[in-house]
Amino acid sequence: MAREMLKIANLQAWYGESHILHGVEFAVHEGEVVTLLGRNGAGRTTTLRAIMGLVGSRTGSVLINGVEAVGLAPHRIARLGLGYCPEERGIFAALSTEENLLLPPRLKGAGGMQLEEIYDIFPNLLERAASPGTRLSGGEQQMLAVARVLRTGARLLLLDEISEGLAPVIVQKLGEVIRTLRQKGFTVVLVEQNFRFAAPLADRFYVMEHGKIVKQFARSELASQAGLLQEFLGV
Amino acid sequence: MTTVFGVPLPAILGQLMLGLVNGSFYALLSLGLAVIFGLLGVVNFAHGAFYMLGAFAAYIGLQFLGINYWWALLLAPLTVGLLGVLIERLFLRHLYQVEPVYGLLLTFGIALIAEGIMRSLFGASGKSYPVPPLLQGVLNLGFMILPIYRAWVVMASVTVCGLTWFLIERTRLGARLRAATENARLVQAFGINVPVMVMCTYGAGVALAALAGVLAAPVIQVSPLMGSSLVIVVFAVVVIGGMGSIVGAIVSGLVLGLIEGLTKVVYPEASSIVVFVIMALVLIWRPAGLFGKEP
């Protein structure tokens, strides 16, 4: 088995007084695509934010390529090779599309995708390069948010609800992008509500509830887990 | 002689020039205030004090260290800017998570301390700073007499404001700054060291104020209170331009200086309140300021 690129143990996280994560444990191997499933409020988004150091406070362990990230500032965590695509997309209104794309600095010695390569995958972004980021359509903004983390050379991507609220044709496009990324050897953690989107993409699934991982299974077990998914997700 | 509303044209032009000089100081100061407010969310009440310290740095440099005007233009902003960096590191950064009023109180306190120290060292009376030899004298333009130093102040200020605008609106570094103004946490999650950027931004804003102080030294008396009388007007300028708006700060700084100058000709009694009247009107009709984004 490939080495563990991300290993999380007993991760607890708080926003102010509210205790959101209660000991999350999971691991992601190099080159894997893993999906966190769960209802709204189960703690999936908070898990990603806790990995990035964006929650109020956290304890436990987050090993990224063997380096402990709990206790590091967010910019240091990002420099360990993480690309984060937040749920709200985080497109900056004061920046043009291209400025948004060029915002995250390249990681030292990582050799991320070239701008041309990115525009090949997302031709719309080239057409709209000079437009303010928030003038783009929802789908284009989502593509921009994903494209933005590809340039840096980060090999571990945390993608939060990238298919949410988008037209089927765009969702399909994003699915293709994830498949391309997997072929290129990226490691991806998806947080998804849209199970149909995630099912064919992910190697393994973790189910979260009440701030904990309650179940994990591989894609091959999908069929046999239908009843469980019904129970946890209501799908 | 040509007159407008019974006032000789050269007198009007002279006042407009003075207004433009004041406007230059407003623009430099409100620019720094706007950038600092945008990124840090701090209403920097010490801004006038840094302007005063810039002027005093030039004065001290010339009197005691033999540093001439041109070196002062470089060294005073640098020294005062470093002081700003120190203040941000030691005090301000602990206040970002709490209510804005704490930052305001802290910087107000710093302003009082700075003024008190300078007053105990140099007294309250104004010190004069000579116009550098290269910029002495006047130009006779035919329709008006233009003191060279005043023209220099306007030129220098407009240039510095323009460069700052370019830096913020047109460069990669500026894009990071604009992004961090919108969502600092996310920018940091992209691997950018936001705390250092915030520190440098505060230092740069403070340095702009100090630069305005050096430019002002030869045209006004250098005194410990020179900042506190100016900074109130500058706050009004920032409110009129729109809190956090770069273009708004520059344009409204210069324009309000001009309007103030014009008022001195037409109705001198109103010249010290005209900016505040405009502020009140702007707040009624466009609460976000002329160039600010309506929430």
Side-chain angles (χ1 to χ4, degrees):
Chain A
M1 191 144 220
R3 69 195 175 90
E4 282 171 343
M5 200 148 183
L6 176 67
K7 183 170 173 56
I8 295 175
N10 192 25
L11 181 62
Q12 316 248 350
W14 291 261
Y15 285 115
E17 294 288 296
S18 38
H19 192 172
I20 312 286
L21 299 184
H22 301 266
V24 173
E25 315 239 349
F26 70 95
V28 183
H29 300 97
E30 191 171 13
E32 248 188 335
V33 176
V34 164
T35 297
L36 297 184
L37 298 168
R39 293 195 183 90
N40 275 335
R44 298 164 304 150
T45 291
T46 306
T47 301
L48 296 194
R49 293 181 59 87
I51 294 170
M52 291 309 304
L54 296 174
V55 289
S57 62
R58 59 197 169 139
T59 62
S61 165
V62 174
L63 290 177
I64 297 163
N65 289 320
V67 180
E68 182 56 66
V70 170
L72 292 183
H75 64 278
R76 299 218 180 275
I77 297 173
R79 289 174 193 173
L80 295 175
L82 258 71
Y84 172 56
C85 181
E87 187 178 16
E88 70 283 1
R89 294 175 192 147
I91 303 303
F92 296 97
L95 274 60
S96 72
T97 298
E98 187 150 300
E99 282 177 329
N100 265 289
L101 196 52
L102 298 178
L103 181 69
R106 284 182 189 277
L107 297 164
K108 284 196 185 80
M113 284 190 196
Q114 295 303 313
L115 210 50
E116 297 77 40
E117 218 175 328
I118 288 174
Y119 283 142
D120 275 347
I121 305 177
F122 304 104
N124 291 29
L125 297 183
L126 179 59
E127 280 168 41
R128 308 294 305 269
S131 313
T134 43
R135 290 281 173 80
L136 303 183
S137 71
E140 287 170 330
Q141 286 191 27
Q142 189 61 67
M143 289 182 190
L144 175 56
V146 174
R148 187 165 55 181
V149 294
L150 300 181
R151 223 193 99 257
T152 61
R155 300 293 291 172
L156 171 57
L157 308 181
L158 310 179
L159 309 179
D160 198 348
E161 298 277 13
I162 57 169
S163 72
E164 196 182 23
L166 298 178
V169 55
I170 312 250
V171 174
Q172 204 181 346
K173 168 83 188 172
L174 287 166
E176 283 165 28
V177 171
I178 304 289
R179 257 185 284 272
T180 311
L181 293 178
R182 189 233 285 277
Q183 276 163 15
K184 288 179 185 272
F186 281 84
T187 309
V188 182
V189 180
L190 289 172
V191 161
E192 268 304 328
Q193 191 84 303
N194 184 344
F195 183 68
R196 279 199 201 134
F197 174 71
L201 295 174
D203 301 299
R204 285 188 305 124
F205 301 84
Y206 287 99
V207 181
M208 283 193 81
E209 195 161 75
H210 305 307
K212 270 188 200 155
I213 302 284
V214 291
K215 185 81 188 163
Q216 70 148 315
F217 54 89
R219 183 161 38 172
S220 54
E221 302 168 85
L222 258 188
S224 61
Q225 298 294 334
L228 177 126
L229 286 173
Q230 192 87 36
E231 182 190 332
F232 281 113
L233 308 175
V235 290
Chain B
M1 188 180 273
T2 325
T3 63
V4 181
F5 300 122
V7 183
L9 187 62
I12 292 184
L13 291 174
Q15 280 303 335
L16 283 182
M17 192 63 210
L18 263 182
L20 211 50
V21 168
N22 279 333
S24 302
F25 301 141
Y26 297 161
L28 280 173
L29 287 167
S30 56
L31 178 60
L33 271 183
V35 173
I36 289 171
F37 179 77
L39 188 60
L40 285 72
V42 167
V43 178
N44 188 29
F45 246 81
H47 220 62
F50 291 124
Y51 162 80
M52 177 270 291
L53 289 177
F56 263 104
Y59 173 78
I60 293 166
L62 189 69
Q63 290 294 316
F64 304 105
L65 307 169
I67 294 170
N68 72 17
Y69 176 82
W70 302 103
W71 279 105
L73 274 182
L74 184 74
L75 293 176
L78 207 65
T79 317
V80 180
L82 282 176
L83 179 69
V85 164
L86 205 66
I87 287 171
E88 197 278 338
R89 260 313 70 166
L90 290 178
F91 309 117
L92 261 183
R93 70 175 174 137
H94 301 292
L95 300 177
Y96 299 146
Q97 306 304 328
V98 296
E99 282 182 64
V101 70
Y102 288 96
L104 191 151
L105 285 173
L106 173 80
T107 51
F108 186 54
I110 288 169
L112 291 179
I113 292 171
E115 282 174 11
I117 290 174
M118 294 325 269
R119 198 184 337 208
S120 73
L121 289 178
F122 296 96
S125 66
K127 312 260 178 270
S128 58
Y129 186 95
V131 174
L134 198 65
L135 300 171
Q136 281 169 4
V138 295
L139 282 178
N140 192 342
L141 300 179
F143 56 91
M144 72 177 288
I145 306 287
L146 178 64
I148 292 174
Y149 189 79
R150 287 183 190 165
W152 154 254
V153 167
V154 176
M155 247 171 47
S157 152
V158 168
T159 309
V160 170
C161 285
L163 286 175
T164 310
W165 175 87
F166 184 85
L167 184 74
I168 293 172
E169 298 292 338
R170 291 288 179 269
T171 66
R172 194 75 75 87
L173 190 71
R176 289 179 180 188
L177 188 87
R178 277 177 282 140
T181 299
E182 265 179 59
N183 186 346
R185 297 286 280 170
L186 184 58
V187 170
Q188 196 173 359
F190 286 150
I192 295 168
N193 193 340
V194 172
V196 163
M197 193 163 88
V198 165
M199 179 181 81
C200 294
T201 302
Y202 189 73
V206 165
L208 280 178
L211 177 72
V214 182
L215 286 172
V219 280
I220 60 167
Q221 299 277 305
V222 177
S223 89
L225 294 176
M226 63 188 270
S228 54
S229 50
L230 190 70
V231 78
I232 303 298
V233 180
V234 171
F235 274 114
V237 169
V238 173
V239 171
I240 292 167
M243 289 299 263
S245 162
I246 307 301
V247 175
I250 300 172
V251 172
S252 49
L254 290 167
V255 170
L256 287 165
L258 272 176
I259 291 177
E260 227 180 28
L262 203 62
T263 315
K264 275 192 185 119
V265 182
V266 182
Y267 187 53
E269 293 84 346
S271 65
S272 58
I273 60 157
V274 62
V275 171
F276 300 103
V277 172
I278 294 174
M279 179 180 84
L281 294 177
V282 167
L283 283 178
I284 290 169
W285 279 295
R286 263 189 81 90
L290 295 179
F291 294 81
K293 288 191 186 72
E294 299 286 345

